[in-house]
């Protein structure tokens, strides 16, 4: 074996080893950076749990079921001064276009904020490991779920109005 052949063989071996390492560490298609085309509810299972946080002197709770069938369901409650301020009913449904988060708000007494058939819909627009971004079709509102540790998660509500974007972070810890 000549020196050139030996160097070429080593280069090929290094390239093949690198390809093998990259392939072994590759994420499923649905978890590759930004990929949503093949997203499933299983990719969003990191959201499931009983979450508790604090906001503006009150208590927030967000409870999500594990994926089952074609949906995950969630409820939100904000309590301040010992009284419920408002509630949300949330649903992540599998549609032909992929996962869509649907949301309705309620005053105490289960009086809806939105009209009877009105619901806010947020399509999944970005998915990474333990991070999901849902966006309304008008692009004026986004919900970002990010698991920050085994026992913590942050949810950001981003809103755009008059070309100005505001962001509100909800920090949660697993209650159970």
């Amino acid at each position: 074996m000549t020196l050139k052949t030996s160097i070429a063989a080593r280069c090929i071996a290094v390239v093949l080893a690198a390809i093998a390492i990259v392939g072994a560490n590759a994420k499923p298609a649905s978890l590759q950076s930004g990929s949503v085309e093949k997203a499933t509810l299983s990719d969003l299972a990191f959201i499931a749990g009983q979450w508790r946080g604090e906001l503006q002197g009150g208590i927030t709770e967000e409870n999500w079921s594990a994926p089952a069938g074609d949906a995950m369901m969630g409820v939100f409650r904000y309590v301040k001064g010992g009284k419920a301020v408002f509630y949300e009913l949330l649903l992540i449904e599998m549609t032909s276009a992929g996962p869509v988060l649907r949301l309705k708000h309620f005053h105490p007494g289960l009086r809806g904020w939105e009209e009877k058939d009105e619901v806010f819909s947020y399509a999944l627009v970005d998915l990474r490991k333990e991070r999901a971004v849902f966006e309304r079709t008008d692009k004026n509102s986004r919900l970002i779920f990010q698991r920050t540790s085994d026992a913590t998660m942050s949810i950001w509500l981003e809103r755009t109005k008059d070309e100005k974007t505001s962001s509100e972070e909800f920090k949660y810890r697993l209650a159970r």
Side-chain angles (χ1 to χ4, degrees):
M1 182 182 287
T2 68
L3 182 58
K4 276 188 178 180
T5 307
S6 176
I7 292 172
R10 284 181 189 219
C11 287
I12 291 170
V14 168
V15 169
L16 290 175
I19 290 170
I21 290 169
V22 170
N25 292 326
K27 299 175 189 172
S30 62
L31 291 182
Q32 289 180 4
S33 179
S35 177
V36 297
E37 294 81 22
K38 296 181 182 178
T40 67
L41 290 178
S42 295
D43 297 325
L44 301 170
F46 71 90
I47 296 171
Q50 293 182 323
W51 301 95
R52 188 176 172 106
E54 296 178 13
L55 180 70
Q56 299 172 356
I59 302 295
T60 58
E61 295 176 313
E62 190 150 336
N63 300 305
W64 280 95
S65 70
D70 63 352
M72 292 175 67
M73 62 181 180
V75 291
F76 171 90
R77 173 173 64 175
Y78 178 51
V79 177
K80 188 169 182 179
K83 295 188 179 206
V85 177
F86 74 95
Y87 307 93
E88 294 175 347
L89 178 60
L90 305 109
L91 187 65
I92 300 175
E93 290 183 303
M94 213 43 217
T95 70
S96 59
V100 174
L101 186 147
R102 301 189 196 284
L103 165 71
K104 283 189 81 86
H105 299 89
F106 297 90
H107 292 287
L110 216 53
R111 291 175 291 118
W113 293 10
E114 295 85 20
E115 292 296 319
K116 179 180 170 185
D117 291 332
E118 183 184 6
V119 64
F120 292 110
S121 293
Y122 295 76
L124 181 67
V125 296
D126 189 42
L127 179 64
R128 299 162 196 259
K129 187 176 190 310
E130 297 192 337
R131 181 178 188 273
V133 180
F134 294 90
E135 185 174 67
R136 285 190 31 196
T137 54
D138 63 10
K139 304 210 184 297
N140 288 332
S141 182
R142 294 164 51 120
L143 287 165
I144 302 165
F145 293 76
Q146 173 74 52
R147 190 75 176 253
T148 51
S149 78
D150 287 345
T152 60
M153 180 167 65
S154 286
I155 301 173
W156 288 269
L157 170 59
E158 291 182 353
R159 296 183 203 157
T160 302
K161 187 174 182 178
D162 300 326
E163 298 182 17
K164 293 181 184 173
T165 300
S166 64
S167 182
E168 186 171 15
E169 181 179 9
F170 298 81
K171 292 182 178 184
Y172 290 103
R173 294 194 64 71
L174 270 176
R176 291 189 201 187

